[in-house]
Amino acid sequence: ERGQPGERYILSGDNLTIKQLFDMIADEMGSPHPHIYLPNPVVHTIGKLGDLLESFGKKGPLNSETAHTSTMYHWFDNS
């Protein structure tokens, strides 16, 4: 209600894994839950391939930064 333009804010509630978040989104949309699990090393390899594509001016599904972020846990305290 009193945010400032251009600032970032963390709106938090329960701590969730990415899988739990995607499952909740799928439930709300009436869609099937994601069913493909990629181990972290595979995600990081895809990120490296995305970096390579970006070096040629192409856009990949992930880059190293998004791969790293997607395999981390982000727990926030809203106090």
Side-chain angles (χ1 to χ4, degrees):
E1 292 178 19
R2 294 193 167 93
Q4 299 297 316
E7 295 295 321
R8 294 182 180 152
Y9 300 91
I10 297 172
L11 303 177
S12 65
D14 296 330
N15 287 319
L16 302 170
T17 64
I18 295 293
K19 180 179 178 353
Q20 290 170 319
L21 175 63
F22 284 174
D23 287 346
M24 286 175 62
I25 292 169
D27 286 341
E28 288 298 317
M29 296 184 67
S31 300
H33 289 199
H35 60 278
I36 297 174
Y37 170 78
L38 297 177
N40 288 353
V42 173
V43 173
H44 289 289
T45 300
I46 294 169
K48 295 284 187 197
L49 292 172
D51 291 345
L52 181 64
L53 286 172
E54 287 179 3
S55 72
F56 292 105
K58 305 285 185 188
K59 179 82 171 134
L62 292 174
N63 62 25
S64 291
E65 182 180 348
T66 54
H68 177 71
T69 302
S70 71
T71 59
M72 295 173 57
Y73 286 104
H74 301 276
W75 305 122
F76 299 100
D77 179 354
N78 63 357
S79 61

